[in-house]
Amino acid sequence: MRKVSTGFVYFFGALGGLLFGYDTGVISGAILFIQKQMHLGSWQQGWVVSAVLLGAILGAAIIGPSSDRYGRRKLLLLSAVIFFVGALGSGLSPEFWTLIISRVILGMAVGAASALIPTYLAELSPADKRGTMSSLFQLMVMTGILFAYITNYAWAGIYTGWRWMLGFAAIPAALLFLGGLILPESPRFLVKTGHSDQAREVLDTMNKHDTAAVDKELSQIEEQAKMKNGGWSELFGKMVRPSLIIGLGLAIFQQVMGCNTVLYYAPTIFTDVGFGVNAALLAHIGIGIFNVIVTAIAVMIMDKIDRKKMLIGGAIGMGVSLFVMSIGMKFSGGSQAAAIISVIALTIYIAFFSATWGPVMWVMIGEVFPLNIRGLGNSFASVINWSANMVVSLTFPALLNFFGTGSLFIGYGVLCFLAIWFVKVKVFETRNRSLEEIEATLRAKAGATEDDLSTAK
């Protein structure tokens, strides 16, 4: 292994999250200028925004599972190249269809990052630090969104500003590629491909030369790595079913509780209260800064509090905040106090999301799947997450027109409390347990033997 610090590994391992956040957040400001210069209709604007979501579904479905065969690091490098091409293509697009294709390409990298990075970070991290290290991905996502808000504001006064907004992502993409050249491969993948000596070197670095911890972890990995790479039959099989339910359930609930709609609607709420457009954009930057701070706090406490407690507490806080915000919005037209309450409730909602469901979902889908199908399982959960994102984003305008803001957010609040039931009944705890211990528990509950798994077709 190349001699690099653990901080370097975690930073560049999670850097794809910054691109993830930037490329999904920047279009909210850029589309205002793209629409005017390309004379786009409403459906064309919708496609410019949602093309990344379509690409993300494809990237998570195609690139994610390939990491079980080719390795996490190689696919991370490929994602960096795709990020770079998609960003430059978007910034230089001369007309609508070139922009759409470039945004789909960019989305493929976003989807690949969402499927690869949580798995990569989880496999590199010691059990007692895995939550903290894996949640760096969400911290990078929130940081990327903040950068997007800042660049939107900075280039808003330039005629070709939207090109700079979209093309700027090529710079961190190039940094991700250069850093990826030095990153180590996942020790789990190295053991699976017969490179146990290299895996030991990686584990030795990540465990800060704790020989006993390295020996124990390597032994567990070698035992699990005897199994052949699994496929769809294993993913939907009896042993993996609890993990699959967790992965899909958390992926869906993270979206249907309204996280993206609230974030996207924030500037509109600010203007409804009486903020001017520029003031609303500045307030949006303030929300972005708040997001990063709260997520950073979540990173620090991730391995000190059980995952289930964080999810349940977050869902309660989000649900109550949405109810308060809905009531405030119903009366905001005639009451400045009600409008201000709505903004405060929105801010509290975002805080709960950023501290709990935002990072914990990505941490857990990187933990719960067995080694032989971890890439496939994480990829499938990411596909479901992006599909739910797309459905919620596309249905939001129609639902908003039909129900109105107050009633619609009550619906999202109800889903927050349904999520509490799901976590209590279907989610098992993963904090302070090695990935191999989690897999052994799944196997024991299913009554399967190692021979059954190693000979499964």
Side-chain angles (χ1 to χ4, degrees):
M1 175 186 172
R2 301 170 183 85
K3 299 298 181 181
V4 294
S5 68
T6 54
F8 178 95
V9 172
Y10 290 132
F11 175 80
F12 279 95
L15 185 58
L18 186 142
L19 286 157
F20 176 139
Y22 184 89
D23 288 320
T24 53
V26 73
I27 196 64
S28 63
I31 190 63
L32 299 175
F33 307 97
I34 295 172
Q35 182 269 331
K36 292 179 181 178
Q37 292 182 31
M38 291 191 175
H39 308 290
L40 303 183
S42 57
W43 73 270
Q44 290 176 310
Q45 293 179 55
W47 271 111
V48 170
V49 173
S50 60
V52 161
L53 301 180
L54 176 61
I57 294 171
L58 296 174
I62 297 170
I63 298 176
S66 302
S67 68
D68 282 335
R69 176 172 295 183
Y70 300 109
R72 321 302 189 205
R73 176 177 167 274
K74 289 180 181 177
L75 273 298
L76 194 61
L77 286 169
L78 176 61
S79 298
V81 173
I82 299 174
F83 268 125
F84 187 84
V85 172
L88 280 187
S90 298
L92 298 173
S93 295
E95 42 77 43
F96 172 72
W97 285 109
T98 306
L99 180 58
I100 292 297
I101 293 171
S102 298
R103 295 276 294 164
V104 170
I105 292 171
L106 194 62
M108 290 182 67
V110 169
S114 70
L116 287 169
I117 294 174
T119 297
Y120 180 68
L121 293 175
E123 291 185 342
L124 281 173
S125 306
D128 62 343
K129 297 179 180 178
R130 193 174 58 243
T132 296
M133 296 303 106
S134 297
S135 58
L136 286 176
F137 174 69
Q138 182 67 14
L139 179 59
M140 283 289 196
V141 171
M142 291 302 173
T143 303
I145 291 174
L146 173 59
F147 282 168
Y149 294 164
I150 293 172
T151 55
N152 282 348
Y153 183 79
W155 283 314
I158 303 174
Y159 181 74
T160 57
W162 68 269
R163 296 188 181 277
W164 291 96
M165 294 174 190
L166 300 182
F168 181 78
I171 295 175
L175 291 175
L176 176 61
F177 182 83
L178 294 174
L181 294 174
I182 307 174
L183 288 176
E185 181 53 86
S186 158
R188 271 77 180 175
F189 181 79
L190 289 171
V191 171
K192 280 175 58 179
T193 52
H195 298 89
S196 294
D197 290 342
Q198 294 179 33
R200 177 179 288 278
E201 290 181 23
V202 176
L203 290 171
D204 186 58
T205 297
M206 305 314 292
N207 284 275
K208 298 188 181 299
H209 311 295
D210 184 339
T211 303
V214 171
D215 289 341
K216 178 182 178 182
E217 191 169 358
L218 184 61
S219 175
Q220 291 176 331
I221 295 171
E222 288 175 337
E223 192 64 30
Q224 302 296 344
K226 293 176 182 177
M227 293 178 290
K228 297 177 182 178
N229 276 346
W232 292 103
S233 60
E234 285 80 16
L235 181 62
F236 290 97
K238 180 180 179 181
M239 189 195 87
V240 185
R241 193 168 300 145
S243 300
L244 186 64
I245 290 172
I246 290 173
L248 300 190
L250 294 182
I252 292 171
F253 274 113
Q254 190 203 50
Q255 294 299 323
V256 300
M257 290 190 293
C259 61
N260 284 320
T261 58
V262 171
L263 287 171
Y264 295 156
Y265 198 66
T268 304
I269 293 178
F270 288 132
T271 55
D272 287 347
V273 173
F275 284 69
V277 174
N278 283 339
L281 287 175
L282 281 174
H284 212 195
I285 292 174
I287 290 290
I289 294 171
F290 183 64
N291 251 335
V292 172
I293 292 172
V294 172
T295 306
I297 294 172
V299 168
M300 291 187 285
I301 66 173
M302 186 64 66
D303 287 311
K304 296 180 174 64
I305 303 175
D306 287 349
R307 316 273 198 257
K308 289 184 67 172
K309 289 180 179 178
M310 292 184 73
L311 290 171
I312 291 170
I316 292 172
M318 291 161 66
V320 172
S321 299
L322 285 175
F323 287 150
V324 172
M325 186 173 76
S326 298
I327 295 171
M329 292 181 73
K330 282 181 177 292
F331 297 100
S332 62
S335 169
Q336 185 177 5
I340 293 173
I341 289 172
S342 297
V343 172
I344 294 173
L346 176 145
T347 305
I348 294 173
Y349 169 92
I350 292 174
F352 274 106
F353 173 79
S354 298
T356 59
W357 280 82
V360 173
M361 189 282 289
W362 293 111
V363 170
M364 290 198 74
I365 67 171
E367 295 176 324
V368 296
F369 291 103
L371 176 62
N372 69 325
I373 57 163
R374 189 165 293 142
L376 178 62
N378 205 336
S379 171
F380 189 58
S382 297
V383 168
I384 297 300
N385 182 261
W386 284 109
S387 299
N389 187 339
M390 193 168 202
V391 169
V392 171
S393 299
L394 289 175
T395 58
F396 177 69
L399 292 174
L400 187 64
N401 289 334
F402 186 80
F403 291 106
T405 52
S407 299
L408 178 57
F409 285 120
I410 287 177
Y412 291 139
V414 170
L415 289 171
C416 289
F417 287 97
L418 183 60
I420 295 172
W421 169 85
F422 173 80
V423 172
K424 285 186 173 181
V425 175
K426 298 296 184 181
V427 176
F428 57 77
E429 187 56 55
T430 59
R431 184 173 74 94
N432 280 342
R433 301 176 66 195
S434 73
L435 299 178
E436 289 67 39
E437 288 171 346
I438 294 170
E439 182 171 345
T441 301
L442 289 170
R443 190 186 315 118
K445 287 184 177 180
T449 65
E450 291 181 12
D451 289 338
D452 294 333
L453 294 170
S454 63
T455 57
K457 294 183 180 179

